[in-house]
Amino acid sequence: MQHLSTLLDWIRYAASRLATADIAYGHGTDTPLDEAAALVLGLLNLPYDLSPTYFPAHLTADEITALRNALDRRVNERIPVPYLPHRTLYGGYEFYVDERVLIPRSPIAELIERGLSPWWQGDAPETILDLCCGSGCIGILAQIHQPQADIILADIDPDALAVAAKNLARYQLSDSIPLLQGDGLAALDAAIADLYGTEAAAARAQGATYRDVTGGIDWILCNPPYVEEGEMDDIAAEYRHEPRHALTSGADGLNFTRRLLHTAGDYLSERGLLVLEVGMSGQNLEDAYPDAAFDWAELTRGGAGVCVISADELLAWRDAGIV
């Protein structure tokens, strides 16, 4: 190992070791070489798109020690790479992550980049909620692509919101994007006075819907917990480093989703959209609501289980007893 002295040496060595290790991928990379590059560049605080011109650069003794230790932890403790340097890319932008939040990988990024086309038509969205925001990556990406919109981040977990706050600061959005703590959409109700004033809060308390008193949210982007509880017994060790409560949601993975489908129509604007990710629990969702016509997004960059539902559909389904 004393002959491993350059950046390229360590990417090559790490790739070879990872290729023979009993590990799982899925947190931003899917090959040993990509994983090795993410680990080495991440730990050395170098850009992930670093020019190969720099690959012959020699590393310091401290850098080599840090890389050796991190590689050992990746292989022996099965820690996902982004948790080691606390860096990851999502939608082409860098975010801070640690074990308080899921590592960003939601295919909702692709829909944000498309402006939710073809479902969203006409004027640009005015309000966007990142529900179950975790690191805040979905909401921040939405702000980057929809700079005119008012963004709200909400999560039940104060530790996750602390990570989101770091990412808001990174993009100089701390003063413009509120962080709300609460269980699902109840986070909006708890903050309605701060966001819209006491008259709005009073009207809401008297039974008016959130849409009635605020105009509603144009886009609710939600990557909720959706893994079946039983699946955690067989899931790869890497995923057990992520917060369990952000992954699982009951026996069929749909506990949170059921509540959301029943209430979201009251929070969306008249032409609002709910973008809901349920991943591998998509078939469970179809089975639970056989009379709901879910519109599943066609994703070109991988991932599955993202549907888009309009406010009108949600209200009609509820009125018909479907959800």
Side-chain angles (χ1 to χ4, degrees):
M1 194 171 288
Q2 64 269 26
H3 301 300
L4 302 174
S5 61
T6 69
L7 191 61
L8 183 59
D9 286 339
W10 273 92
I11 292 174
R12 198 285 308 159
Y13 171 70
S16 295
R17 186 170 174 196
L18 292 170
T20 59
D22 180 20
I23 60 173
Y25 303 99
H27 290 98
T29 65
D30 55 13
T31 69
L33 183 58
D34 288 345
E35 185 96 339
L39 177 65
V40 173
L41 296 174
L43 258 294
L44 297 178
N45 294 308
L46 293 170
Y48 288 113
D49 59 353
L50 183 72
S51 168
T53 303
Y54 292 91
F55 284 6
H58 287 265
L59 307 183
T60 68
D62 287 345
E63 289 172 333
I64 289 172
T65 298
L67 287 173
R68 183 188 303 116
N69 292 341
L71 184 57
D72 285 344
R73 296 191 73 196
R74 174 67 187 98
V75 171
N76 298 328
E77 300 177 44
R78 303 283 296 272
I79 298 174
V81 161
Y83 285 153
L84 294 167
H86 304 303
R87 298 174 62 192
T88 195
L89 290 176
Y90 181 69
Y93 294 87
E94 188 169 322
F95 293 91
Y96 172 90
V97 292
D98 61 33
E99 293 191 27
R100 293 174 289 179
V101 296
L102 297 181
I103 294 168
R105 53 188 178 273
S106 170
I108 289 175
E110 182 178 335
L111 303 188
I112 292 172
E113 292 166 14
R114 292 190 220 160
L116 300 196
S117 176
W119 300 276
W120 183 263
Q121 302 291 333
D123 296 340
E126 296 180 4
T127 54
I128 299 173
L129 169 65
D130 178 0
L131 184 61
C132 306
C133 69
S135 66
C137 61
I138 289 176
I140 292 171
L141 188 66
Q143 184 74 96
I144 291 168
H145 287 273
Q146 301 289 341
Q148 80 293 333
D150 292 327
I151 309 291
I152 301 170
L153 305 185
D155 201 286
I156 194 172
D157 186 357
D159 288 337
L161 291 174
V163 174
K166 291 178 70 76
N167 285 315
L168 289 178
R170 178 189 190 98
Y171 287 96
Q172 299 182 330
L173 295 170
S174 301
D175 294 334
S176 59
I177 296 182
L179 291 167
L180 308 184
Q181 184 188 355
D183 187 0
L185 293 170
L188 292 176
D189 292 320
I192 196 168
D194 293 333
L195 295 178
Y196 297 100
T198 56
E199 290 187 10
R204 182 75 176 104
Q206 292 169 7
T209 68
Y210 190 88
R211 178 198 290 186
D212 289 339
V213 299
T214 71
I217 306 292
D218 287 330
W219 296 0
I220 296 178
L221 310 175
C222 187
N223 176 21
Y226 57 71
V227 177
E228 299 174 14
E229 286 284 355
E231 190 172 340
M232 292 301 294
D233 296 334
D234 301 318
I235 204 165
E238 281 79 359
Y239 295 95
R240 296 196 189 103
H241 287 276
E242 296 185 291
R244 186 183 180 107
H245 66 269
L247 288 169
T248 63
S249 189
D252 64 356
L254 299 177
N255 282 3
F256 182 92
T257 295
R258 284 187 175 86
R259 291 190 289 121
L260 181 62
L261 291 176
H262 189 74
T263 58
D266 291 330
Y267 290 79
L268 287 165
S269 65
E270 287 189 5
R271 62 193 190 108
L273 297 172
L274 169 63
V275 179
L276 174 65
E277 179 178 352
V278 292
M280 75 286 288
S281 293
Q283 187 58 56
N284 290 352
L285 188 65
E286 293 273 5
D287 293 343
Y289 300 102
D291 295 323
F294 293 105
D295 191 358
W296 298 100
E298 294 185 10
L299 302 165
T300 63
R301 302 205 302 257
V306 178
C307 59
V308 182
I309 313 169
S310 72
D312 286 345
E313 286 175 310
L314 287 165
L315 293 173
W317 291 351
R318 189 177 65 191
D319 290 344
I322 294 173
V323 299

